[in-house]
Coordinates of all heavy atoms in Angstrom, one line a residue:
R1611 N -11.8 31.4 -18.9 CA -11.4 30.2 -18.2 C -9.9 30.0 -18.3 O -9.4 30.1 -19.4 CB -12.1 29.0 -18.8 CG -11.7 27.6 -18.2 CD -12.1 27.5 -16.8 NE -11.6 26.3 -16.2 CZ -11.7 26.0 -15.0 NH1 -12.4 26.7 -14.1 NH2 -11.2 24.9 -14.5
I1612 N -9.2 29.8 -17.2 CA -7.7 29.6 -17.3 C -7.5 28.1 -17.8 O -8.0 27.2 -17.2 CB -7.1 29.7 -15.9 CG1 -7.4 31.1 -15.3 CG2 -5.6 29.4 -16.0 CD1 -6.7 32.2 -16.1
T1613 N -6.8 28.0 -18.9 CA -6.4 26.7 -19.4 C -5.0 26.3 -18.9 O -4.1 27.1 -19.1 CB -6.4 26.8 -21.0 OG1 -7.7 27.2 -21.4 CG2 -6.1 25.4 -21.5
I1614 N -5.0 25.2 -18.3 CA -3.7 24.7 -17.7 C -3.0 23.9 -18.8 O -3.4 22.9 -19.2 CB -3.9 23.9 -16.4 CG1 -4.6 24.7 -15.4 CG2 -2.6 23.3 -15.9 CD1 -5.0 23.9 -14.1
E1615 N -1.8 24.5 -19.2 CA -1.1 23.9 -20.4 C -0.3 22.7 -19.9 O -0.1 21.7 -20.6 CB -0.2 24.9 -21.0 CG -1.0 26.2 -21.5 CD -1.9 25.8 -22.7 OE1 -1.7 24.8 -23.3 OE2 -2.8 26.6 -23.0
H1616 N 0.3 22.8 -18.7 CA 1.2 21.7 -18.3 C 0.8 21.3 -16.9 O 0.6 22.1 -16.0 CB 2.7 22.2 -18.3 CG 3.1 22.6 -19.6 ND1 3.4 21.8 -20.7 CD2 3.4 23.9 -20.1 CE1 3.7 22.4 -21.7 NE2 3.8 23.7 -21.4
T1617 N 0.6 20.0 -16.7 CA 0.2 19.5 -15.4 C 1.3 18.8 -14.6 O 1.3 18.7 -13.4 CB -1.0 18.5 -15.6 OG1 -0.6 17.5 -16.5 CG2 -2.2 19.2 -16.0
V1618 N 2.2 18.1 -15.3 CA 3.3 17.4 -14.6 C 4.5 18.3 -14.4 O 5.0 18.9 -15.4 CB 3.7 16.1 -15.4 CG1 4.7 15.3 -14.7 CG2 2.4 15.3 -15.6
A1619 N 5.0 18.3 -13.2 CA 6.1 19.2 -12.9 C 7.5 18.6 -13.3 O 7.7 17.4 -13.1 CB 6.1 19.5 -11.4
E1620 N 8.3 19.5 -13.8 CA 9.7 19.1 -14.1 C 10.6 19.3 -12.8 O 11.5 18.5 -12.5 CB 10.3 20.0 -15.2 CG 9.6 19.9 -16.5 CD 10.0 18.7 -17.3 OE1 11.0 18.0 -16.8 OE2 9.4 18.4 -18.3
D1621 N 10.3 20.4 -12.0 CA 11.1 20.7 -10.8 C 10.1 21.1 -9.7 O 9.5 22.2 -9.8 CB 12.0 21.8 -11.1 CG 12.9 22.2 -10.0 OD1 12.6 21.9 -8.8 OD2 13.9 22.9 -10.2
T1622 N 9.8 20.2 -8.8 CA 8.8 20.5 -7.7 C 9.2 21.7 -6.9 O 8.3 22.5 -6.5 CB 8.6 19.3 -6.8 OG1 9.8 18.9 -6.3 CG2 8.0 18.1 -7.6
E1623 N 10.5 21.9 -6.6 CA 10.9 23.1 -5.8 C 10.6 24.4 -6.5 O 10.2 25.4 -5.9 CB 12.3 23.0 -5.4 CG 12.6 22.0 -4.3 CD 11.7 22.2 -3.0 OE1 11.7 23.3 -2.5 OE2 11.1 21.2 -2.6
A1624 N 10.8 24.4 -7.8 CA 10.6 25.6 -8.6 C 9.1 25.9 -8.6 O 8.7 27.1 -8.4 CB 11.1 25.4 -10.0
E1625 N 8.2 24.9 -8.7 CA 6.8 25.0 -8.6 C 6.4 25.6 -7.3 O 5.5 26.4 -7.1 CB 6.1 23.7 -8.9 CG 6.4 23.1 -10.3 CD 6.0 24.1 -11.4 OE1 4.9 24.7 -11.3 OE2 6.8 24.1 -12.4
R1626 N 7.0 25.1 -6.2 CA 6.7 25.5 -4.8 C 7.0 27.0 -4.7 O 6.2 27.7 -4.1 CB 7.4 24.7 -3.8 CG 6.8 24.7 -2.4 CD 7.6 23.9 -1.4 NE 8.2 22.6 -1.9 CZ 7.5 21.5 -2.1 NH1 6.2 21.5 -1.7 NH2 8.1 20.4 -2.5
H1627 N 8.1 27.4 -5.2 CA 8.4 28.9 -5.1 C 7.5 29.7 -5.9 O 7.2 30.8 -5.4 CB 9.9 29.1 -5.5 CG 10.9 28.6 -4.5 ND1 11.0 29.0 -3.2 CD2 11.9 27.7 -4.7 CE1 11.9 28.4 -2.6 NE2 12.5 27.6 -3.4
R1628 N 7.0 29.2 -7.0 CA 6.0 30.0 -7.8 C 4.7 30.2 -7.0 O 4.1 31.2 -7.0 CB 5.7 29.2 -9.1 CG 6.8 29.2 -10.1 CD 6.4 28.4 -11.3 NE 5.3 29.1 -12.0 CZ 4.4 28.4 -12.6 NH1 4.4 27.1 -12.6 NH2 3.4 29.0 -13.3
V1629 N 4.3 29.1 -6.3 CA 3.1 29.2 -5.4 C 3.3 30.2 -4.3 O 2.4 31.0 -4.0 CB 2.7 27.8 -4.9 CG1 1.7 28.0 -3.8 CG2 2.1 27.0 -6.1
Y1630 N 4.5 30.1 -3.6 CA 4.7 31.0 -2.5 C 4.7 32.5 -3.0 O 4.1 33.4 -2.3 CB 6.1 30.8 -1.9 CG 6.2 29.5 -1.1 CD1 7.4 28.8 -1.0 CD2 5.1 29.0 -0.4 CE1 7.5 27.7 -0.2 CE2 5.2 27.8 0.3 CZ 6.4 27.2 0.4 OH 6.5 26.0 1.1
A1631 N 5.3 32.8 -4.1 CA 5.3 34.1 -4.7 C 3.8 34.6 -5.0 O 3.5 35.7 -4.8 CB 6.2 34.2 -5.9
A1632 N 3.0 33.6 -5.6 CA 1.7 34.0 -5.9 C 0.8 34.2 -4.7 O 0.0 35.2 -4.6 CB 1.0 32.8 -6.7
F1633 N 1.1 33.5 -3.6 CA 0.3 33.7 -2.3 C 0.7 35.1 -1.8 O -0.2 35.8 -1.4 CB 0.7 32.7 -1.3 CG -0.3 31.6 -1.1 CD1 0.0 30.3 -1.7 CD2 -1.5 31.8 -0.5 CE1 -0.9 29.3 -1.6 CE2 -2.4 30.7 -0.4 CZ -2.1 29.5 -0.9
D1634 N 1.9 35.5 -1.8 CA 2.3 36.8 -1.3 C 1.6 37.9 -2.1 O 1.1 38.9 -1.6 CB 3.9 37.0 -1.4 CG 4.6 36.2 -0.4 OD1 4.0 35.7 0.6 OD2 5.8 35.9 -0.6
R1635 N 1.6 37.8 -3.4 CA 1.0 38.8 -4.3 C -0.5 38.8 -4.1 O -1.1 39.9 -4.0 CB 1.3 38.5 -5.8 CG 0.8 39.6 -6.7 CD 1.2 39.3 -8.1 NE 0.6 40.3 -9.0 CZ 0.6 40.2 -10.3 NH1 1.2 39.1 -10.9 NH2 0.0 41.1 -11.1
M1636 N -1.2 37.7 -3.9 CA -2.6 37.6 -3.7 C -3.0 38.3 -2.4 O -3.9 39.1 -2.3 CB -3.1 36.2 -3.7 CG -4.6 36.1 -3.4 SD -5.1 34.4 -3.1 CE -4.4 34.0 -1.5
R1637 N -2.2 38.1 -1.3 CA -2.5 38.7 0.0 C -2.3 40.2 -0.1 O -3.1 40.9 0.5 CB -1.5 38.1 1.0 CG -1.9 36.6 1.4 CD -0.8 35.9 2.1 NE -1.2 34.5 2.4 CZ -0.4 33.5 2.8 NH1 0.9 33.8 2.9 NH2 -0.8 32.3 3.0
E1638 N -1.3 40.7 -0.8 CA -1.2 42.1 -1.0 C -2.4 42.7 -1.7 O -2.9 43.8 -1.3 CB 0.1 42.4 -1.8 CG 1.4 42.1 -1.1 CD 2.6 42.2 -2.1 OE1 2.4 42.7 -3.2 OE2 3.7 41.9 -1.6
Q1639 N -2.9 42.0 -2.7 CA -4.1 42.5 -3.4 C -5.3 42.6 -2.5 O -6.0 43.6 -2.5 CB -4.4 41.6 -4.6 CG -3.4 41.7 -5.7 CD -3.8 40.7 -6.9 OE1 -4.7 39.9 -6.7 NE2 -3.0 40.7 -7.9
I1640 N -5.5 41.5 -1.7 CA -6.6 41.5 -0.8 C -6.5 42.6 0.3 O -7.5 43.3 0.6 CB -6.7 40.1 -0.1 CG1 -6.9 39.0 -1.1 CG2 -7.9 40.1 0.9 CD1 -8.1 39.1 -1.9
E1641 N -5.4 42.8 0.8 CA -5.2 43.9 1.8 C -5.4 45.2 1.2 O -6.1 46.1 1.8 CB -3.7 43.8 2.4 CG -3.4 42.6 3.2 CD -4.1 42.6 4.6 OE1 -4.7 43.6 4.9 OE2 -3.9 41.6 5.3
R1642 N -5.0 45.4 -0.1 CA -5.2 46.7 -0.7 C -6.6 47.0 -1.0 O -7.2 48.1 -0.8 CB -4.4 46.8 -2.0 CG -4.4 48.1 -2.7 CD -3.3 48.2 -3.8 NE -3.5 47.2 -4.8 CZ -2.7 46.1 -5.0 NH1 -1.7 45.9 -4.2 NH2 -2.9 45.3 -6.0
M1643 N -7.4 46.0 -1.5 CA -8.8 46.1 -1.8 C -9.6 46.4 -0.5 O -10.5 47.2 -0.5 CB -9.3 44.9 -2.5 CG -9.0 44.8 -4.0 SD -9.8 43.5 -4.8 CE -9.1 42.1 -4.0
S1644 N -9.2 45.7 0.5 CA -9.9 45.8 1.8 C -9.8 47.3 2.3 O -10.7 47.9 2.9 CB -9.4 44.8 2.8 OG -10.1 45.0 4.0
A1645 N -8.6 47.8 2.2 CA -8.3 49.2 2.6 C -9.0 50.2 1.8 O -9.4 51.3 2.3 CB -6.8 49.4 2.6
Q1646 N -9.2 49.9 0.5 CA -9.8 50.9 -0.4 C -11.3 50.8 -0.5 O -11.9 51.7 -1.0 CB -9.2 50.7 -1.8 CG -7.7 51.0 -1.9 CD -7.2 50.7 -3.3 OE1 -7.8 50.1 -4.1 NE2 -5.9 51.1 -3.5
A1647 N -11.9 49.7 0.0 CA -13.4 49.6 -0.1 C -14.1 50.7 0.7 O -13.8 51.0 1.8 CB -13.8 48.2 0.5
E1648 N -15.1 51.3 0.0 CA -15.8 52.4 0.6 C -17.3 52.1 0.7 O -17.9 51.8 -0.3 CB -15.6 53.7 -0.2 CG -14.2 54.2 -0.2 CD -14.0 55.4 -1.0 OE1 -15.0 55.9 -1.5 OE2 -12.8 55.9 -1.1
F1649 N -17.8 52.1 1.9 CA -19.3 51.8 2.1 C -19.9 52.8 3.0 O -20.8 52.5 3.7 CB -19.5 50.4 2.7 CG -19.1 49.3 1.8 CD1 -17.9 48.6 2.0 CD2 -19.9 48.9 0.8 CE1 -17.5 47.6 1.2 CE2 -19.5 47.8 0.0 CZ -18.3 47.2 0.2
G1650 N -19.4 54.0 3.0 CA -20.0 55.0 3.9 C -19.6 54.7 5.3 O -18.4 54.8 5.7
M1651 N -20.6 54.3 6.1 CA -20.3 54.2 7.6 C -19.9 52.8 7.9 O -19.9 52.4 9.1 CB -21.5 54.7 8.4 CG -22.8 53.9 8.1 SD -24.2 54.6 9.0 CE -23.8 54.2 10.7
G1652 N -19.6 51.9 7.0 CA -19.2 50.6 7.3 C -20.3 49.7 7.5 O -21.5 50.0 7.2
G1653 N -20.1 48.4 8.0 CA -21.1 47.5 8.2 C -20.6 46.1 8.1 O -19.4 45.8 8.1
E1654 N -21.6 45.1 8.0 CA -21.3 43.7 8.1 C -20.4 43.3 6.9 O -19.7 42.3 6.9 CB -22.5 42.9 8.1 CG -22.9 42.4 9.4 CD -23.1 43.4 10.5 OE1 -23.4 44.6 10.2 OE2 -22.9 43.1 11.7
H1655 N -20.5 44.0 5.7 CA -19.7 43.6 4.6 C -18.2 43.8 4.9 O -17.4 43.1 4.3 CB -20.1 44.5 3.4 CG -20.5 45.9 3.8 ND1 -21.9 46.2 3.9 CD2 -19.8 47.0 4.1 CE1 -22.0 47.5 4.3 NE2 -20.8 48.0 4.4
E1656 N -17.9 44.6 5.8 CA -16.5 44.7 6.2 C -16.0 43.4 6.9 O -14.9 43.0 6.8 CB -16.2 45.9 7.1 CG -16.4 47.3 6.4 CD -16.2 48.5 7.3 OE1 -16.1 48.3 8.5 OE2 -16.1 49.6 6.8
E1657 N -17.0 42.9 7.7 CA -16.6 41.6 8.4 C -16.5 40.5 7.4 O -15.8 39.5 7.5 CB -17.7 41.3 9.4 CG -17.7 42.3 10.6 CD -18.9 42.1 11.5 OE1 -19.6 41.1 11.4 OE2 -19.2 43.0 12.3
V1658 N -17.3 40.6 6.3 CA -17.2 39.6 5.2 C -15.8 39.6 4.7 O -15.1 38.6 4.4 CB -18.2 39.9 4.1 CG1 -17.9 39.1 2.8 CG2 -19.6 39.7 4.5
L1659 N -15.2 40.8 4.4 CA -13.9 40.9 3.9 C -12.8 40.4 4.9 O -11.8 39.8 4.5 CB -13.6 42.4 3.6 CG -14.3 43.0 2.4 CD1 -13.9 44.4 2.1 CD2 -14.1 42.1 1.1
Q1660 N -13.1 40.6 6.2 CA -12.2 40.0 7.2 C -12.2 38.5 7.1 O -11.1 37.8 7.2 CB -12.6 40.5 8.6 CG -12.4 41.9 8.9 CD -11.0 42.4 8.7 OE1 -10.0 41.7 9.2 NE2 -10.7 43.5 8.1
T1661 N -13.4 37.9 6.9 CA -13.5 36.4 6.7 C -12.7 36.0 5.5 O -12.0 35.0 5.5 CB -14.9 36.0 6.6 OG1 -15.6 36.4 7.8 CG2 -15.1 34.5 6.5
Y1662 N -12.8 36.8 4.5 CA -12.2 36.5 3.2 C -10.7 36.6 3.4 O -9.9 35.7 2.9 CB -12.7 37.6 2.2 CG -12.4 37.3 0.8 CD1 -13.3 36.4 0.1 CD2 -11.4 38.0 0.1 CE1 -13.1 36.2 -1.2 CE2 -11.3 37.8 -1.3 CZ -12.1 36.9 -1.9 OH -11.9 36.6 -3.3
K1663 N -10.2 37.6 4.1 CA -8.7 37.7 4.4 C -8.3 36.5 5.2 O -7.1 36.0 5.0 CB -8.4 39.0 5.1 CG -8.5 40.2 4.2 CD -8.6 41.5 5.0 CE -7.4 41.7 5.8 NZ -7.5 43.1 6.5
M1664 N -9.1 36.0 6.1 CA -8.7 34.8 6.9 C -8.4 33.6 6.0 O -7.4 32.9 6.2 CB -9.9 34.5 7.8 CG -9.6 33.2 8.7 SD -11.1 32.6 9.4 CE -11.9 31.9 8.0
F1665 N -9.2 33.4 4.9 CA -8.9 32.3 4.0 C -7.6 32.6 3.3 O -6.8 31.6 3.0 CB -10.0 32.2 3.0 CG -11.2 31.4 3.5 CD1 -12.5 31.9 3.5 CD2 -11.1 30.1 4.0 CE1 -13.6 31.2 3.9 CE2 -12.1 29.4 4.4 CZ -13.4 30.0 4.4
A1666 N -7.3 33.8 2.9 CA -6.1 34.1 2.2 C -4.9 33.8 3.0 O -3.8 33.5 2.4 CB -6.1 35.6 1.8
Y1667 N -5.0 33.8 4.3 CA -3.8 33.5 5.1 C -3.9 32.1 5.8 O -3.2 31.7 6.6 CB -3.7 34.5 6.3 CG -3.2 35.9 5.8 CD1 -4.1 36.8 5.3 CD2 -1.8 36.1 5.7 CE1 -3.6 38.1 4.9 CE2 -1.3 37.4 5.3 CZ -2.3 38.3 4.8 OH -1.8 39.5 4.4
D1668 N -4.9 31.3 5.3 CA -5.1 30.0 5.8 C -4.0 29.0 5.5 O -3.7 28.7 4.3 CB -6.4 29.4 5.3 CG -6.7 28.0 5.9 OD1 -6.5 27.8 7.1 OD2 -7.1 27.1 5.1
E1669 N -3.3 28.5 6.5 CA -2.1 27.7 6.2 C -2.5 26.3 5.8 O -1.8 25.6 5.0 CB -1.2 27.5 7.5 CG -0.5 28.9 7.9 CD 0.5 28.7 9.0 OE1 0.7 27.5 9.4 OE2 1.0 29.7 9.4

Side-chain angles (χ1 to χ4, degrees):
R1611 176 69 188 173
I1612 301 296
T1613 301
I1614 299 175
E1615 301 294 340
H1616 302 289
T1617 53
V1618 181
E1620 298 281 354
D1621 182 342
T1622 56
E1623 284 308 309
E1625 299 300 322
R1626 202 182 320 280
H1627 286 302
R1628 290 178 64 214
V1629 165
Y1630 287 153
F1633 261 104
D1634 289 342
R1635 186 175 172 192
M1636 180 190 69
R1637 289 163 179 166
E1638 289 173 6
Q1639 290 179 355
I1640 299 300
E1641 293 287 355
R1642 187 167 59 251
M1643 281 187 296
S1644 180
Q1646 292 173 351
E1648 295 181 1
F1649 293 102
M1651 62 186 292
E1654 258 58 26
H1655 31 266
E1656 292 181 352
E1657 294 173 14
V1658 169
L1659 291 180
Q1660 291 300 318
T1661 302
Y1662 197 75
K1663 285 163 62 176
M1664 178 195 72
F1665 279 124
Y1667 288 90
D1668 179 44
E1669 292 190 6

